[in-house]
């Protein structure tokens, strides 16, 4: 009886390992740039992303800027995760440099969630304590005003 139970557990362990290999996280890339405007008060936010990842990690660059009638600020961040979530992709990163950018400073974490709708993409962005590696921005999505993001599913090498 104990021998049968041990053999059954061993088979389950082997089956689980094979299933985990088959269901590996898909590779995804997020490419593009976009802007969205606000009008009360007037501001323009710009985003540029060149990133790829496997759902657990990632590489690439995320750049954001903000300007209004009084100031201009920007930040650049090193991507540490890109993960597909349904029709969206999550890009998380750590800010490496920033100038006059109130939402994030060097060392802060940022998250950008992109929905590639083909015609009218949306995005949400969060920073600092709201962000965990590989997790979506908890902020609402906004339609972009100009530009385009591409969320591409890639085949692992």
């Amino acid at each position: 009886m104990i021998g049968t139970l041990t053999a059954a557990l061993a088979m389950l362990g082997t089956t689980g390992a094979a299933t985990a290999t088959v269901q590996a996280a898909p590779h995804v890339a997020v490419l593009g740039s976009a802007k969205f405007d606000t009008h009360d008060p007037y501001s323009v936010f710009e985003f540029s992303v060149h990133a790829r990842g496997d759902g657990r990690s990632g590489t690439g660059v995320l750049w954001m800027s903000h300007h209004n009638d009084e100031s201009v600020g920007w930040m650049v961040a090193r991507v540490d995760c890109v993960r597909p979530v349904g029709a969206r992709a999550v890009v998380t990163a750590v800010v490496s440099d920033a100038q006059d950018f109130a939402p994030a400073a060097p060392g802060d974490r940022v998250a950008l969630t992109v929905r590639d709708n083909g015609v009218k993409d949306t995005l949400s962005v969060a920073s600092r304590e709201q962000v965990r590696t590989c997790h979506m921005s908890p902020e609402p999505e906004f339609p972009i005003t100009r530009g385009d993001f591409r969320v591409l599913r890639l085949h692992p090498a």
Side-chain angles (χ1 to χ4, degrees), residues 3-154:
T4 305
L5 181 59
T6 303
L9 289 174
M11 282 192 333
L12 283 174
T14 304
T15 303
T19 303
T21 303
V22 171
Q23 296 176 351
H27 286 66
V28 65
V30 179
L31 306 168
S33 60
K35 296 179 183 183
F36 75 82
D37 305 328
T38 62
H39 297 288
D40 189 22
Y42 171 76
S43 288
V44 176
F45 295 88
E46 296 183 55
F47 303 86
S48 181
V49 181
H50 188 266
R52 68 182 294 157
D54 62 7
R56 296 177 303 271
S57 62
T59 60
V61 176
L62 169 61
W63 177 85
M64 289 188 253
S65 74
H66 168 258
H67 65 89
N68 56 28
D69 292 335
E70 298 175 9
S71 66
V72 174
W74 58 267
M75 60 123 266
V76 63
R78 178 188 43 80
V79 172
D80 61 0
C81 186
V82 182
R83 181 172 68 98
V85 179
R88 296 175 286 202
V90 176
V91 177
T92 59
V94 177
V95 176
S96 55
D97 197 7
Q99 182 173 325
D100 300 325
F101 194 75
D108 286 347
R109 301 192 64 62
V110 293
L112 182 71
T113 302
V114 174
R115 184 185 301 265
D116 180 1
N117 290 324
V119 176
K120 202 64 162 166
D121 299 341
T122 61
L123 64 86
S124 66
V125 64
S127 63
R128 296 189 174 116
E129 63 277 349
Q130 296 175 313
V131 179
R132 293 187 355 228
T133 304
C134 296
H135 286 81
M136 289 181 14
S137 163
E139 298 298 316
E141 292 181 6
F142 293 96
I144 64 169
T145 308
R146 297 175 300 282
D148 185 40
F149 287 114
R150 303 287 299 174
V151 175
L152 307 167
R153 306 292 173 145
L154 306 172

